[in-house]
Amino acid sequence: MVQKIRIIDAKDHVDEEVKIGVWLTDKRSSGKISFLQLRDGSAFFQGVVVKSQVSEEVFETAKGLHQENSFYVTGVIHEDSRSHFGYEIEVSDIEVVCESEGYPITPKEHGVDFLLDNRHLWLRSKRPFAIMQIRNEMIRATYEFFNQEGFIKIDPPILTGSAPEGTTELFHIEYFDNDAYLSQSGQLYMEAGAQAFGKVFSFGPVFRAEKSKTRRHLTEFWMIEPEMAFTNQAESLEVQEKYIAYLVQSVIDNCEYPLHLLDRDIETLKKYTKLPYPRLSYDDAIKMLQAAGYETKWGDDFGAPEETYISDQFEQPVFVMNYPKAIKPFYMKPDPTRDDVYLCADLLAPEGYGEIIGGSERETDYETLKQQIQAAGLDEKEYEWYLDLRRYGSTPHSGFGLGFERAITWICHLDHLREAIPFPRMINRIYP
Ligand code: 4AD
Ligand code: MG
């Protein structure tokens, strides 16, 4: 019996006869030889069918294959120094599984709207393949990192009655006779988790009714939200930079082939594994922008151009620290040395990718937090449970949220977040 393998394991089967389930991505034939471009879900590679080596029937079958036909190939694995992947199969037999005629995504260039309409098929192409491999590695590395650091994973609810990040971007749903919302952040629940388990992290989908069409916003995206008891903001920043460097290093170590498919420069990525990352106060960021001719005033939030300008002044990701209270949510702890800023930071990615992390130290004092809830115009009743965390054994604690697709978009060097998630959801897209 010929062994069934996946081509990613080819190095263990050189010069052996194997069987692989594949799809055809492209083909070139002459009278004497057919070159089949194949994928088996684990890599893209070539199959060679030589007329003089196979039966008439096999050669004719090869010539008649269409793009995305599924079939089994049987043959001998050879090293192939001309392709980056490094292996090919010399085909001796073909067993067709399913026909495919008129596959819409041909090897020519297609517009992105067409590709998104066909996302269920587009996922088969090289570029989405490479991005999803890197996404998967970042998922793996995230679990590994936080487990090594002694965190446990806690899953916050997705159906919620409260709005930690402000009420404008909520998806409202009917919940029997009540109102509910899709979670925009699990943070408040992670704070409960931190007081129970010390160090916790979540990794799940969050939802924001983003009405703007930008390259940086999805309506459904994934967030990693660690939360740590007995931890101040400075200590939290150290965890953040260590985590980001770990993600980048894991992708460098384990995604050489996907990075090659995306043409991503590894030397650039290596710069992001050097710690510490620079820290810049919001005040100094404003001065930096004003010196460069921006009209930004103290108290303004940064838009994409400001974030890009700031990050362009650094070789690594940069923490912008201590933003004005008015532009950040109610749960943050004010700077004890001054009244107008919070102990918080956003991490801006290099190469113009903007904010990938938002985090802060949390307010721990019952009365102050209650006032901040009132001042934010929120319904105190809905935050009774959250205030309980300050009634019973409150501790200094800090946490952060990494926007997962933002991080992927930066590490893969993509133009738009929509390519960083298998099925993107945006204001004008909920199909397929
Ligand atoms: O800065 P944000 O709003 O922070 C929070 O939600 C905190 N509760 C996190 C925490 O401290 N536990 O969102 C966190 C990150 C942002 O830095 C950004 O990377 C990403 O989430 N993000 C989005 N990503 C994709 N599409 C959107 N619409 C996003 N909005 C925010
Ligand atoms: Mg933010």
Side-chain angles (χ1 to χ4, degrees):
M1 256 273 286
V2 181
Q3 196 185 345
K4 206 159 96 182
I5 68 157
R6 301 236 293 168
I7 194 66
I8 200 71
D9 300 320
K11 64 174 188 324
D12 302 327
H13 299 278
V14 175
D15 297 331
E16 277 176 31
E17 186 177 57
V18 298
K19 181 170 173 172
I20 311 177
V22 296
W23 294 263
L24 186 82
T25 66
D26 203 359
K27 150 191 98 179
R28 207 154 41 82
S29 301
S30 72
K32 294 198 181 100
I33 194 162
S34 279
F35 295 103
L36 309 178
Q37 302 310 318
L38 305 172
R39 59 177 192 89
D40 76 340
S42 75
F44 292 78
F45 62 109
Q46 177 166 270
V48 185
V49 194
V50 182
K51 188 170 185 184
S52 60
Q53 310 283 322
V54 298
S55 70
E56 181 73 29
E57 194 195 332
V58 168
F59 195 71
E60 286 309 308
T61 304
K63 271 174 70 178
L65 289 169
H66 293 119
Q67 194 186 351
E68 290 304 316
N69 267 178
S70 53
F71 52 102
Y72 287 104
V73 278
T74 302
V76 176
I77 300 287
H78 294 301
E79 286 183 23
D80 170 18
S81 56
R82 285 153 308 171
S83 80
H84 180 86
F85 176 66
Y87 299 93
E88 64 178 20
I89 185 165
E90 188 188 334
V91 177
S92 56
D93 196 17
I94 292 175
E95 219 180 294
V96 173
V97 175
C98 181
E99 301 291 337
S100 165
E101 291 221 33
Y103 185 69
I105 304 176
T106 57
K108 70 165 199 192
E109 290 257 324
H110 293 282
V112 74
D113 280 327
F114 175 82
L115 291 170
L116 284 169
D117 287 343
N118 288 286
R119 182 63 168 171
H120 52 298
L121 302 175
W122 185 25
L123 283 175
R124 303 179 184 193
S125 301
K126 268 186 190 159
R127 195 177 152 82
F129 169 86
I131 297 166
M132 292 308 138
Q133 295 282 333
I134 291 172
R135 181 181 171 107
N136 180 60
E137 173 58 20
M138 290 168 65
I139 293 170
R140 193 200 63 73
T142 294
Y143 280 79
E144 185 172 83
F145 177 81
F146 286 109
N147 280 299
Q148 278 171 13
E149 297 283 321
F151 287 67
I152 83 161
K153 182 167 181 270
I154 289 283
D155 303 312
I158 286 172
L159 294 171
T160 61
S162 60
E165 302 302 312
T167 50
T168 52
E169 296 163 352
L170 287 177
F171 279 113
H172 176 251
I173 52 168
E174 255 174 57
Y175 190 72
F176 305 105
D177 293 333
N178 289 309
D179 292 321
Y181 308 96
L182 294 180
S183 175
Q184 58 183 174
S185 160
Q187 181 195 315
L188 306 191
Y189 298 95
M190 301 314 289
E191 289 184 56
Q195 303 306 324
F197 303 99
K199 298 205 265 185
V200 293
F201 76 106
S202 67
F203 192 158
V206 291
F207 305 86
R208 295 191 186 180
E210 303 279 3
K211 295 201 182 65
S212 54
K213 291 187 207 165
T214 82
R215 301 187 292 146
R216 294 180 179 178
H217 291 93
L218 297 166
T219 54
E220 175 179 309
F221 64 99
W222 286 62
M223 195 154 40
I224 291 108
E225 295 190 88
E227 195 70 33
M228 300 157 280
F230 297 108
T231 300
N232 65 28
Q233 173 65 0
E235 292 164 331
S236 173
L237 294 187
E238 286 174 22
V239 176
Q240 294 174 40
E241 61 190 359
K242 198 171 165 192
Y243 169 44
I244 297 298
Y246 194 85
L247 284 181
V248 175
Q249 189 64 52
S250 299
V251 169
I252 293 172
D253 290 345
N254 301 319
C255 296
E256 196 267 340
Y257 175 57
L259 288 171
H260 165 79
L261 290 178
L262 293 173
D263 214 6
R264 179 54 156 146
D265 179 40
I266 293 179
E267 292 311 310
T268 306
L269 286 178
K270 282 185 185 159
K271 289 193 287 193
Y272 309 147
T273 63
K274 302 229 160 53
L275 296 183
Y277 293 158
R279 286 145 168 78
L280 177 74
S281 69
Y282 172 88
D283 296 352
D284 287 342
I286 291 288
K287 285 183 201 143
M288 182 183 266
L289 288 166
Q290 287 174 347
Y294 285 82
E295 283 172 14
T296 323
K297 301 179 305 299
W298 197 96
D300 292 347
D301 208 352
F302 301 136
E306 288 83 8
E307 284 183 353
T308 300
Y309 180 80
I310 296 166
S311 62
D312 279 350
Q313 309 315 305
F314 300 91
E315 290 256 291
Q316 293 154 284
V318 52
F319 287 112
V320 180
M321 306 191 304
N322 301 357
Y323 285 77
K325 283 181 173 178
I327 56 173
K328 291 290 178 191
F330 72 92
Y331 50 70
M332 295 184 175
K333 185 180 172 69
D335 184 337
T337 66
R338 52 191 275 197
D339 203 33
D340 52 350
V341 299
Y342 281 132
L343 293 177
C344 64
D346 285 355
L347 183 65
L348 307 185
E351 303 175 76
Y353 284 98
E355 176 195 336
I356 53 171
I357 290 181
S360 72
E361 189 161 335
R362 319 307 190 186
E363 180 53 63
T364 46
D365 178 65
Y366 175 82
E367 285 301 333
T368 314
L369 186 61
K370 198 165 145 174
Q371 278 160 23
Q372 285 176 192
I373 289 172
Q374 285 163 352
L378 298 168
D379 183 354
E380 216 182 294
K381 281 201 304 296
E382 281 172 12
Y383 293 87
E384 273 307 315
W385 71 266
Y386 186 61
L387 285 164
D388 267 354
L389 305 177
R390 277 67 178 171
R391 282 191 186 101
Y392 307 111
S394 188
T395 69
H397 63 288
S398 302
F400 61 95
L402 172 75
F404 194 48
E405 287 74 20
R406 295 259 182 106
I408 296 166
T409 302
W410 161 55
I411 289 177
C412 293
H413 204 264
L414 313 176
D415 289 338
H416 198 300
L417 246 60
R418 64 191 165 208
E419 284 194 77
I421 189 163
F423 294 96
R425 296 291 178 248
M426 292 169 285
I427 184 167
N428 55 359
R429 183 164 296 280
I430 195 151
Y431 175 94

